[in-house]
Amino acid sequence: MITYRHHVVSLVAVFLALAVGVVLGGGPLSELGRDDGQPTPARAVTQQARLAAGYGDTFAAATAEQLYDGRLADRPVAVLAMPGADDSIVAGLTEQVELAGGSVTGRYDVRPALLAASEKALVDTLGSQLAAELGAGVVDADAATYARMGQLLGVALATTGEQAGDPTEDARTVRQSLAGAELVVSPDVDTPRAPAVLVVLGDDGPTPATLAVLDGLLSGAAETSRGVVVAAPTDAGRNGGLLAALRREPLADVVTTVDGAETALGQVTTVLAVLRRLAGEGGEFGANGADGAVPLG
C-alpha cells in the first residue's frame, strides 16, 4: 500500500534530483537565460539552482516530522565526529534525530592521532592491551590494527540491541583508555550506549592511508553495534572526495552512507538512513548516492 510517507519521500527525491540536475546544467531549467536581453546562461542556471536547492531544503524541513513518524523513540544515536567534522552539521543532525523522537547519547570526537600513520604503533599496542583486558569474545584480538580498534569503539559507544544500554565496565574501560591516549574525546563515562552510530566526516580529500584506517575503524564498529551510518558534506561524495572513495571500499557493504549533510535535505536523508540501517538495510544516498537521493523504504 502506498502511504503518505512514501509519497513525501518520493517528492523529496525528485526535488533533490532537480536541484542536482540544475547545478550540472541539465534538466528543464538548463536553457534559461539564452534569449537576448536575459541574464547570461551561467548566471540564470546558478540562480535557478539555488532556488531549486532551497525549495528542496524547505520541503524536507517542513515534512521531516511526518516522515520520521517518531520511529527513533527509545532508539538513541551516538555521534562519532571525525577530524574536520563541521560542528554545524553535527548540530543539525542532532536536531533531526530529536525530531524523529530519538536522542543523541553523546558526541565522541576522534583526534587526528587515531588516523595518523605515525601513531599506528600506539593504536596497535593499545588495542592489543584492551582486547586482552576485556577478555575473550568481546573483540577479535587477532583482527588487524584498525579493525580491532573499530570493534573497541563499538564496545565504547554502542550496543547490538535495538534500544539504549547502560554503560558496561568494558565500555567505561575503553572510553577511559582512548581518552587517556588522546585518541578519542568521550563524554561522561556513564553515558548510555546507543544502537546506532552516526559518523560525521569532514570534507578533506582521501589518502591511501586515511582510507585504510577509516575502512578498518568503521567496519570494525559495525561488528559491535546495531548499525553505522556515515554522513559527509556534498563535496566528499563527489569524485575525488573522501566519502566517494570509501564507497568503493569493502566498508560500503556494512554501513549506510549519505552525502549532502550540510543541507537540511541531507540531514533529513541521514536520519532516514539511520532508520533504514536499524532495520538491517544499507545503501548509498544523497546528492551523489548510487541508491538515490533518499531512502524510499
Side-chain angles (χ1 to χ4, degrees):
M1 176 180 178
I2 303 298
T3 65
Y4 169 76
R5 181 169 59 84
H6 290 121
H7 281 302
V8 173
V9 177
S10 299
L11 285 171
V12 172
V14 169
F15 288 128
L16 180 58
L18 177 61
V20 173
V22 170
V23 169
L24 297 176
L29 301 178
S30 61
E31 297 300 318
L32 287 177
R34 298 193 185 278
D35 294 332
D36 292 340
Q38 297 296 320
T40 64
R43 180 175 298 176
V45 169
T46 299
Q47 291 172 343
Q48 293 299 332
R50 289 173 180 168
L51 288 172
Y55 187 71
D57 282 343
T58 301
F59 185 85
T63 60
E65 191 168 6
Q66 291 95 326
L67 287 170
Y68 303 148
D69 196 26
R71 287 179 291 154
L72 273 183
D74 300 319
R75 305 167 82 186
V77 176
V79 171
L80 183 65
M82 291 293 170
D86 190 319
D87 287 341
S88 66
I89 292 178
V90 174
L93 289 169
T94 299
E95 182 179 340
Q96 290 302 317
V97 166
E98 293 171 350
L99 191 62
S103 62
V104 171
T105 57
R107 170 175 171 168
Y108 299 77
D109 287 277
V110 172
R111 309 310 299 160
L114 183 57
L115 308 184
S118 60
E119 300 295 341
K120 183 176 180 179
L122 168 64
V123 176
D124 187 62
T125 300
L126 180 61
S128 180
Q129 292 173 345
L130 283 171
E133 183 176 350
L134 299 184
V138 179
V139 300
D140 181 1
D142 296 324
T145 298
Y146 291 103
R148 182 177 57 210
M149 183 55 70
Q151 292 174 20
L152 288 165
L153 280 172
V155 170
L157 281 66
T159 174
T160 55
E162 293 192 4
Q163 297 182 334
D166 292 330
T168 62
E169 285 306 313
D170 288 344
R172 292 188 179 96
T173 296
V174 176
R175 291 175 186 177
Q176 292 170 335
S177 297
L178 292 177
E182 298 184 346
L183 297 178
V184 179
V185 176
S186 300
D188 190 276
V189 293
D190 292 323
T191 298
R193 295 172 297 135
V197 178
L198 176 54
V199 180
V200 183
L201 302 180
D203 56 6
D204 295 338
T207 66
T210 302
L211 286 177
V213 170
L214 286 175
D215 184 69
L217 288 175
L218 301 180
S219 297
E223 295 183 44
T224 48
S225 65
R226 182 78 178 180
V228 174
V229 174
V230 181
T234 303
D235 285 347
R238 295 185 177 127
N239 286 336
L242 179 57
L243 186 62
L246 285 171
R247 283 169 167 169
R248 295 190 290 270
E249 297 294 313
L251 167 72
D253 294 331
V254 295
V255 305
T256 303
T257 58
V258 179
D259 65 273
E262 78 280 15
T263 67
L265 185 52
Q267 291 164 12
V268 172
T269 299
T270 299
V271 174
L272 292 173
V274 170
L275 291 166
R276 181 183 178 90
R277 186 75 255 177
L278 289 173
E281 299 181 63
E284 302 175 8
F285 302 98
N288 304 284
D291 295 307
V294 296
L296 297 179

